Structure formats: structure tokens, C-alpha cells
Amino acid sequence: MAAGKPVSVVVCAHSYERRNVLRAALDSVRQQEQGPHELIVVIDHNPALKDLVVREFPELKVVPNERAKGLSGARNTGLRHATGDIIAFLDDDAVAMPGWISRLRTHYE
């Protein structure tokens, strides 16, 4: 973990068809110069997608949505599993720009 407050990044995903953009989102977080304390992937009621993410990213914390189907339930599940002082959400079809986590962290220091 880099110096400063620990950042948990939560990415919620639901669609197997969007797996390629999900991979890009996860890779963009994993490639940050100052990486996250943890990267949590919440899978919204899609066992096939959960199995794929667990298989391709075994080092990540991958959890099923424990609440009602939808983004709200998935984000609340991610919050429940996060242990960082700062919780950042990244959409599954977004890519974190280089330096995203370090810039985010400076606003909380």
C-alpha cells in the first residue's frame, strides 16, 4: 500500500456481455502507480460473470451482491466489504486515468 489513507476501490458489474470493458476497468485500477488498499468487484446476481472474474483476477476480492438487484444494492454490498478509510467507486465501463488514486487521496489528506 502506498503512503496516505488507504483507498478501497469498488467496481460493480452485472453483465457478462460487458466483460471486456470490465477487464479494462479493473486493469486501469491495478496499473495505478499508487495502487488501492484493495480492489473489490461486486457482481450483481450473475454467477457466470462472478466465476469469470474470480478465475481471471484471483488476487481481487470478488463478492456477489448481497442485496436487491441493481446498482444501489451492489454499491452497499461493496461498502460493507471495504476496509479502507476512503471508498472510491469506478463504473465497470470506465477507465481510471493514471494518477487517479493518488489525486483522490490528496483531497482527503
Side-chain angles (χ1 to χ4, degrees):
M1 179 184 75
K5 293 185 181 286
V7 177
S8 295
V9 175
V10 176
V11 178
C12 302
H14 70 281
S15 172
Y16 193 87
E17 289 73 30
R18 292 166 43 130
R19 63 190 176 276
N20 290 331
V21 294
L22 173 61
R23 285 183 188 112
L26 298 177
D27 285 340
S28 75
V29 175
R30 294 169 62 229
Q31 294 169 1
Q32 294 288 302
E33 186 174 319
Q34 290 186 12
H37 165 68
E38 62 189 345
L39 175 51
I40 302 167
V41 184
V42 181
I43 304 298
D44 192 13
H45 301 275
N46 188 328
L49 181 59
K50 180 180 178 286
D51 291 346
L52 174 79
V53 175
V54 167
R55 189 172 54 252
E56 291 189 13
F57 298 93
E59 73 282 5
L60 301 184
K61 187 185 290 188
V62 181
V63 297
N65 181 359
E66 302 163 346
R67 299 182 175 244
K69 189 173 186 178
L71 185 56
S72 178
R75 284 187 174 173
N76 282 314
T77 296
L79 284 172
R80 184 177 167 288
H81 287 271
T83 62
D85 290 338
I86 302 165
I87 314 299
F89 292 96
L90 182 71
D91 288 343
D92 65 342
D93 62 348
V95 173
M97 299 301 293
W100 176 64
I101 292 173
S102 61
R103 283 192 307 276
L104 181 71
R105 185 181 282 126
T106 62
H107 293 285
Y108 289 89
E109 292 297 328

